[in-house]
């Protein structure tokens, strides 16, 4: 494969955009080499500017559950855009998307749309702090909730990839209000509640971690968080920006049967356009302006075009839920990857929930961030580039989730496994 045009474009981009990108993880720092510039995407495929075609398992980091550019979303955008692009005033489209979300996520009684997952978690935490009149929050080592100052503490995803889980530029006075526990370790959470009684506004968690690679909640973990927050009168916030509408219509809270007090959403609910949302129990959400004293605003929040894309996406998920098929197809792919790695005696851990998965180059189970950090990121980088050369586009970091869409076919899975086998064999030979 040739990548000359991507290389030229990256050189030019780097003169104008910080690091040549608009989001750090895209810069391939976690795997080395030059990022690919994508020309177009359709279904399960991407084409880069050099004309190379890839089976895409990034799906724009989660939104593309129906694959790229599904006609029903493009048509919804076309219809909406004829009436204008933004009004900065209420539109029926916002109420429609709110109704679709509430129909699928019953724990959400009131919702606020914003423009990103970061804004969603920022809003949720400010509401929780306003509601409880407490300042401290608990997050989990390795979880990523966007780039708000108080959440860039032991953060996963791009922050972990770049080795900056505790970002520069975050005042220590602020970071001190963020307490860090260990995912899947209820004792670490109870200890913080014991140490700071009556001071913790909220616990925010990725119910299934996607931002250290995929890490599954152990049996008692989410119910245990629910009990602790109820007992301590702290707000339990599920950050379902990635898992919302990905794992089930009702997200991880439906899959695991645990009801949070607040939920953050993003990615899929925008159908590929910028939409985030936070919502929850009426009495908590009533603290948010203009009903209450917690301020949060946004010029393009509830944008009618983005709302139309989100509604078209959710309507199709409600009409034809793809989850059983996604689970079966993804499990099949995971079985294939495990078998191939075993055949070539390369130790891997394959973590998967539904259509979210990660192949860790590690010889022991990965159940928290510390264990994920022990993965062989060098070997992951080698595998990543071998798969790129073979036309398979994986997330450019060991600490990210890969995604299967509802339009990936058996043919693509077969090609993926053939190419993974060749790549893993090369790694074995090079060992
Ligand atoms: P955005 O601000 O990027 O829309 O959402 C932040 C966010 C919040 N919560 C969770 C669970 C998330 O996964 C994210 C964003 N995910 C990353 C990928 N792991 C976005 C990709 C990027 O940073 O470029």
């Amino acid at each position: 494969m040739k990548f000359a045009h991507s290389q030229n474009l990256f050189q030019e981009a780097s003169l104008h955009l910080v690091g040549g990108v608009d989001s750090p993880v895209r810069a391939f720092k976690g795997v080395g080499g030059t990022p690919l510039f994508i020309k177009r995407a359709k279904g399960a495929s991407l084409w880069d500017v050099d004309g190379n075609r890839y089976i895409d398992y990034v799906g724009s980091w989660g939104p593309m559950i129906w694959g790229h550019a599904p006609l029903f979303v493009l048509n919804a955008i076309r219809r909406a855009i004829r009436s204008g692009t933004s009004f900065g005033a209420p539109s029926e489209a916002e109420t429609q998307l709110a109704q679709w979300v509430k129909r699928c996520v019953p724990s959400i009684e009131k919702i606020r749309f914003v423009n990103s997952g970061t804004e969603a978690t920022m809003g949720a935490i400010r509401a929780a702090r306003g509601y409880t009149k407490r300042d401290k929050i608990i997050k989990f080592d390795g979880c990523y909730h966007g780039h708000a100052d108080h959440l860039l503490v032991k953060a996963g995803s791009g922050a972990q990839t770049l080795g900056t889980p505790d970002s520069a530029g975050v005042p220590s006075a602020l970071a001190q209000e963020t307490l860090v526990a260990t995912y899947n370790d209820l004792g670490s959470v109870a200890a913080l509640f014991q140490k700071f009684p009556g001071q913790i506004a909220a616990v925010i968690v990725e119910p299934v971690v996607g931002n250290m690679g995929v890490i599954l909640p152990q049996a008692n973990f989410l119910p245990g968080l629910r009990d602790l927050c109820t007992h301590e009168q702290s707000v339990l916030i599920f950050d379902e920006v990635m898992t919302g509408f990905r794992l089930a219509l009702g997200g991880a809270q439906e899959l695991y049967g645990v009801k949070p007090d607040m939920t953050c959403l993003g990615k899929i609910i925008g159908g590929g356009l910028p939409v985030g949302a936070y919502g929850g129990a009426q009495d908590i959400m009533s603290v948010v302006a203009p009903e209450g004293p917690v301020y949060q605003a946004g010029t393009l929040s509830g944008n009618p075009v983005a709302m139309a894309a989100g509604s078209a996406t959710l309507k199709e998920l409600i009409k034809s839920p793809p989850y059983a098929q996604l689970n079966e197809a993804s499990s099949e792919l995971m079985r294939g990857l495990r078998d191939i790695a075993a055949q070539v005696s390369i130790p891997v851990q394959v973590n998967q929930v539904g259509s979210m998965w990660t192949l860790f180059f590690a010889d022991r189970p990965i159940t928290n961030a510390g264990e994920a950090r022990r993965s062989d990121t060098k070997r992951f980088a080698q595998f990543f580039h071998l798969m790129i050369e073979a036309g398979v586009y994986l997330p450019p970091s060991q600490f990210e989730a890969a995604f299967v869409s509802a339009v990936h076919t058996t043919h693509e899975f077969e090609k993926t496994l053939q190419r993974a086998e060749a790549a893993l064999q090369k790694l074995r030979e090079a060992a």
Side-chain angles (χ1 to χ4, degrees):
M1 278 190 172
K2 298 265 177 293
F3 305 111
H5 200 22
S6 275
Q7 284 155 359
N8 294 337
L9 288 178
F10 186 55
Q11 218 165 5
E12 180 66 27
S14 300
L15 300 176
H16 312 289
L17 302 173
V18 178
V21 294
D22 283 316
S23 198
V25 73
R26 304 176 191 171
F28 276 22
K29 293 281 186 213
V31 291
T34 303
L36 302 178
F37 276 60
I38 302 305
K39 188 167 183 69
R40 79 180 180 94
K42 184 69 181 168
S45 297
L46 293 174
W47 287 264
D48 68 16
V49 292
D50 289 279
N52 303 312
R53 180 175 184 171
Y54 305 90
I55 303 170
D56 178 25
Y57 287 103
V58 178
S60 184
W61 303 98
M64 306 307 174
I65 192 165
W66 288 117
H68 289 283
L71 218 47
F72 54 85
V73 173
L74 298 187
N75 288 338
I77 292 170
R78 285 191 191 104
R79 278 193 300 275
I81 219 154
R82 279 195 216 116
S83 306
T85 55
S86 177
F87 312 133
S91 72
E92 190 181 357
E94 299 158 70
T95 308
Q96 281 162 352
L97 183 55
Q99 288 167 327
W100 290 121
V101 172
K102 285 178 63 178
R103 175 173 162 169
C104 302
V105 189
S107 67
I108 294 180
E109 295 171 351
K110 276 284 181 73
I111 195 168
R112 169 62 58 83
F113 290 113
V114 291
N115 300 286
S116 68
T118 294
E119 280 191 88
T121 59
M122 277 172 70
I125 286 171
R126 191 176 306 134
R129 283 173 158 161
Y131 177 72
T132 60
K133 298 184 175 47
R134 300 174 181 178
D135 292 342
K136 292 192 186 312
I137 58 170
I138 292 177
K139 76 175 288 290
F140 293 87
D141 178 15
C143 283
Y144 178 74
H145 304 290
H147 64 87
D149 278 351
H150 51 280
L151 290 167
L152 286 178
V153 176
K154 289 274 179 285
S157 182
Q160 177 61 52
T161 301
L162 297 179
T164 56
D166 302 306
S167 171
V170 176
S172 54
L174 204 50
Q176 275 158 9
E177 298 304 329
T178 302
L179 309 171
V180 181
T182 302
Y183 190 79
N184 276 325
D185 177 351
L186 281 172
S188 70
V189 184
L192 290 172
F193 274 118
Q194 221 149 23
K195 191 171 175 191
F196 300 98
Q199 299 173 51
I200 295 168
V203 174
I204 184 167
V205 66
E206 291 184 63
V208 173
V209 179
N211 287 295
M212 277 308 283
V214 173
I215 300 178
L216 283 63
Q218 287 169 346
N220 66 332
F221 182 59
L222 296 177
L225 285 185
R226 175 65 279 169
D227 293 345
L228 276 169
C229 286
T230 303
H231 181 259
E232 300 289 340
Q233 297 184 309
S234 291
V235 176
L236 177 58
I237 302 173
F238 273 12
D239 176 353
E240 297 224 43
V241 167
M242 190 183 287
T243 55
F245 295 93
R246 167 62 58 181
L247 300 182
L249 272 180
Q253 56 195 271
E254 176 188 305
L255 195 63
Y256 293 98
V258 175
K259 184 181 175 188
D261 302 304
M262 298 182 83
T263 301
C264 302
L265 296 168
K267 297 183 192 279
I268 289 174
I269 67 165
L273 294 192
V275 178
Y278 63 101
Q282 158 70 30
D283 62 334
I284 300 176
M285 291 303 289
S286 66
V287 301
V288 178
E291 284 187 29
V294 173
Y295 195 71
Q296 178 270 310
T299 301
L300 293 174
S301 296
N303 175 277
V305 181
M307 295 290 106
S311 285
T313 301
L314 266 53
K315 269 193 290 194
E316 194 63 22
L317 287 171
I318 292 165
K319 184 162 79 76
S320 320
Y323 301 103
Q325 167 220 330
L326 278 173
N327 296 350
E328 179 45 41
S330 306
S331 302
E332 196 58 32
L333 180 64
M334 297 306 111
R335 265 191 293 277
L337 288 172
R338 286 191 187 97
D339 291 351
I340 291 165
Q343 280 154 24
V344 296
S345 321
I346 289 204
V348 299
Q349 302 296 321
V350 176
N351 285 4
Q352 172 226 348
V353 180
S355 55
M356 279 171 67
W357 58 275
T358 297
L359 180 74
F360 289 99
F361 285 88
D363 53 9
R364 279 174 295 166
I366 309 274
T367 65
N368 61 42
E371 292 164 357
R373 289 189 186 101
R374 289 200 286 272
S375 307
D376 183 341
T377 51
K378 189 165 165 293
R379 185 165 257 188
F380 176 86
Q382 291 164 336
F383 180 68
F384 172 84
H385 283 292
L386 287 166
M387 292 295 269
I388 284 285
E389 287 284 347
V392 179
Y393 192 78
L394 296 173
S397 164
Q398 176 68 93
F399 306 117
E400 292 290 354
F403 300 94
V404 172
S405 85
V407 297
H408 278 75
T409 63
T410 317
H411 178 59
E412 270 133 4
F413 293 131
E414 282 163 3
K415 278 200 289 187
T416 302
L417 290 174
Q418 283 160 12
R419 296 167 183 182
E421 183 166 10
L424 289 172
Q425 255 156 3
K426 282 194 187 124
L427 291 182
R428 169 48 56 219
E429 285 150 19

